[in-house]
Amino acid sequence: IGSDVMVAEYGSSWTTPVAISGAMGLNSDATAAVDAQGRRMVLWTHASSTGLNGGNLTLDAYEAALDSNNVVFATYDELTSSWSTMQTVALTEGMDTGLTIGHDASGNVVASWVRKGADGLDHLMTTTWNGSTWSALGSGVDSDVNALVLSGTNLYAGGIFTSAGGVSAARIAKW
């Protein structure tokens, strides 16, 4: 059960789609970006579908798999003309949804998403790719996030939170 993440490129025509190695599973929110070094990358949310075959496929098992999804990525290697295997951006507890991609003022890829915590609240997760590693941006917000928007190099979050990044915020924040 599940699907591969397939990548194709368009020049004068479409290339044959190729599967990202290790990406078979419950995948969603796939999006593409180019980092500050010009390297192509794909990010998406991924949950393992291992154990969801045959008689083990119940709604509870499916929901448990989705609750354990994580944000992952793959990069394209110009030297080998191939995509890397799937790698993890962040291991989080709870369901990750609403993956949004943008760039900061230096051209670094910024990824943001909402994680449903064990406390029942939505938590804003944001990380920046410097070309080799991901690093967290700020300390997040103190309550539900209902919207994420990237505008230029700014990330805006809206919700019912009153604090963002450790400072007072009236239900809207900008990074």
Side-chain angles (χ1 to χ4, degrees), residues 41-99:
M41 58 190 333
V42 179
L43 293 94
W44 68 98
T45 58
H46 170 82
S48 173
S49 59
T50 303
L52 293 181
N53 303 351
N56 295 329
L57 183 56
T58 65
L59 181 58
D60 287 342
Y62 181 75
E63 287 177 345
L66 289 178
D67 282 344
S68 67
N69 75 347
N70 288 295
V71 176
V72 296
F73 74 106
T75 57
Y76 188 75
D77 185 336
E78 294 289 342
L79 296 176
T80 63
S81 298
S82 63
W83 287 90
S84 68
T85 59
M86 178 182 75
Q87 302 169 63
T88 302
V89 171
L91 291 173
T92 59
E93 293 187 25
M95 181 183 285
D96 297 316
T97 60
L99 180 61

Side-chain angles (χ1 to χ4, degrees), residues 11 20 27 30-31 36 40 43 52 59 72 78-79 89 102 106 111 121 124-125 128 131 133 154 165 171-173 175:
I20 302 292
N27 299 302
T31 188
R40 294 168 275 180
L43 293 94
L52 293 181
L59 181 58
V72 296
E78 294 289 342
L79 296 176
V89 171
S106 299
L121 298 176
L124 176 63
M125 309 296 288
T128 302
T133 59
N154 297 316
R171 295 173 174 67
I172 190 163
W175 283 268

Side-chain angles (χ1 to χ4, degrees), residues 29 31 43-45 71 89-90 92 96-104 108-115 123-129 134-138 140 145 147-151 153-158 173-175:
D29 293 330
T31 188
L43 293 94
W44 68 98
T45 58
V71 176
V89 171
T92 59
D96 297 316
T97 60
L99 180 61
T100 303
I101 303 299
H103 294 86
D104 66 14
N108 297 315
V109 174
V110 178
S112 297
W113 65 96
V114 175
R115 175 184 58 85
H123 300 273
L124 176 63
M125 309 296 288
T126 302
T127 185
T128 302
W129 171 255
W134 293 96
S135 59
L137 174 68
V145 173
L148 288 175
V149 175
L150 280 167
S151 178
T153 59
N154 297 316
L155 169 68
Y156 296 88
K174 173 185 154 189
W175 283 268

Side-chain angles (χ1 to χ4, degrees), residues 8-28:
E9 297 183 58
Y10 188 80
S12 58
S13 63
W14 284 101
T15 61
T16 302
V18 289
I20 302 292
S21 179
M24 175 58 113
L26 304 175
N27 299 302
S28 64

